Amino acid sequence: MNEGGGIARLPSLESGPIQCLLATEEKLWVGTERGLFLWKDGSETGPGAVGNPIGETAVRALAEGPGGILWVGTAAGLFKFVENEFQAIAPRDRAISSIVAGLDGTVWIGGGSFGLLELRSQDKAPRRVWPVNEFSALCRSRSGGLWVVKPGGSLAKLSLQTLSTAPLPVQVENVTELFEDREGNLWVGTEGAGLAQLRRKRLVLHETGGASGGVLAVSEGAKGILWLAGQSGQVFRLGEEGLKPFVEGDAVTGGFCETVCAGRGG
């Protein structure tokens, strides 16, 4: 956002669709179809930066672990950025679609062909912990375990102790996002039905007005305000006053807005 209250266009927007965003301390990481960009101190560093082995490989997932470690999921494997250096994590050549970082340093990695991998802080390579390949969404639960959407659209909670799932009597179609807020509420973004919230083991559709055609990403800002990326290309904010466009009548991308990220300041 620029000083006039509008949208500031980053050079990374010219590098194909933005797949993921991550706001860390004084930095904004931008994952695109043509590499990883870094926005800091008013300028942007592209994938050609010295010491960046990711190059122009598509970046599909970003997560921050304890100590400010950055995890980067790409079409060619997993990378870790620590002490200003990128490190490739074996095995390589696996397309990664989701990353969840735990508070103890453990990282869970998801992809379409290898199921769910777990990488503990003391290990050099991840191990396969769940064989289901085609889960469409993944997020960490504050009460323990992981929320997953299994093949066929069934929502379940995966226990990391027993590696078993507790299915819920809920079917979800075309899930694009799972997000748990600070109070432990689970929000489900879908392509066709907008935004839903899990209440007492039931999914309740939320009134999302202009975003009803699809919610592709959810992020939480200051005071519990939710930011939604809509299929229309607009960004919406959902607070006590209901759902409102971030910039009235302005589609951020002119098409699909695939991701949204609230900064540390809200």
Side-chain angles (χ1 to χ4, degrees):
M1 185 172 179
N2 59 30
E3 294 179 358
I7 299 295
R9 190 172 183 86
L10 304 182
S12 52
L13 289 174
E14 308 298 335
S15 296
I18 291 179
Q19 300 293 326
C20 49
L21 294 169
L22 179 67
T24 62
E25 201 67 40
E26 300 180 349
K27 298 177 182 178
L28 176 65
W29 296 94
V30 184
T32 77
E33 282 293 319
R34 292 181 59 190
L36 180 67
F37 291 77
L38 169 62
W39 179 264
K40 181 182 178 182
D41 298 331
S43 62
E44 191 173 59
T45 301
V50 176
N52 181 355
I54 297 172
E56 295 191 355
T57 303
V59 174
R60 304 284 170 76
L62 296 167
E64 184 182 18
I69 294 175
L70 176 71
W71 295 95
V72 184
T74 78
L78 180 68
F79 292 83
K80 178 171 71 170
F81 183 70
V82 59
E83 297 180 352
N84 293 318
E85 181 182 1
F86 283 97
Q87 302 172 12
I89 306 297
R92 300 290 305 277
D93 302 325
R94 286 184 172 179
I96 293 173
S97 59
S98 55
I99 305 174
V100 174
L103 298 178
D104 63 350
T106 302
V107 178
W108 295 275
I109 306 110
S113 61
F114 55 81
L116 181 67
L117 304 180
E118 179 185 67
L119 178 63
R120 297 180 180 179
S121 56
Q122 68 272 20
D123 296 337
K124 293 184 178 180
R127 65 187 184 99
R128 193 183 193 196
V129 295
W130 199 45
V132 175
N133 291 335
E134 300 300 331
F135 62 89
S136 60
L138 176 72
C139 82
R140 182 170 63 90
S141 171
R142 294 177 185 271
S143 61
L146 299 173
W147 290 107
V148 295
V149 176
K150 298 171 66 176
S154 59
L155 180 64
K157 198 170 188 179
L158 174 66
S159 168
L160 298 173
Q161 284 72 42
T162 63
L163 298 180
S164 61
T165 56
L168 298 173
V170 171
Q171 291 293 119
V172 198
E173 293 185 359
N174 301 320
V175 172
T176 56
E177 174 81 324
L178 287 178
F179 179 81
E180 191 176 271
D181 63 25
R182 297 186 186 107
E183 296 181 354
N185 300 307
L186 182 68
W187 298 87
V188 182
T190 73
E191 282 190 10
L195 184 68
Q197 184 182 11
L198 183 65
R199 299 177 185 170
R200 298 178 182 178
K201 296 186 178 182
R202 292 182 57 205
L203 272 184
V204 179
L205 286 177
H206 201 84
E207 180 58 46
T208 52
S212 59
V215 173
L216 303 183
V218 182
S219 182
E220 186 175 18
K223 300 179 181 179
I225 292 175
L226 293 183
W227 294 88
L228 315 177
Q231 272 184 303
S232 62
Q234 283 184 304
V235 174
F236 298 84
R237 65 193 304 272
L238 180 62
E240 295 180 355
E241 301 177 355
L243 187 83
K244 291 187 175 182
F246 175 45
V247 180
E248 196 70 39
D250 179 23
V252 176
T253 63
F256 286 91
C257 179
E258 299 190 4
T259 186
V260 66
C261 174
R264 293 290 176 91

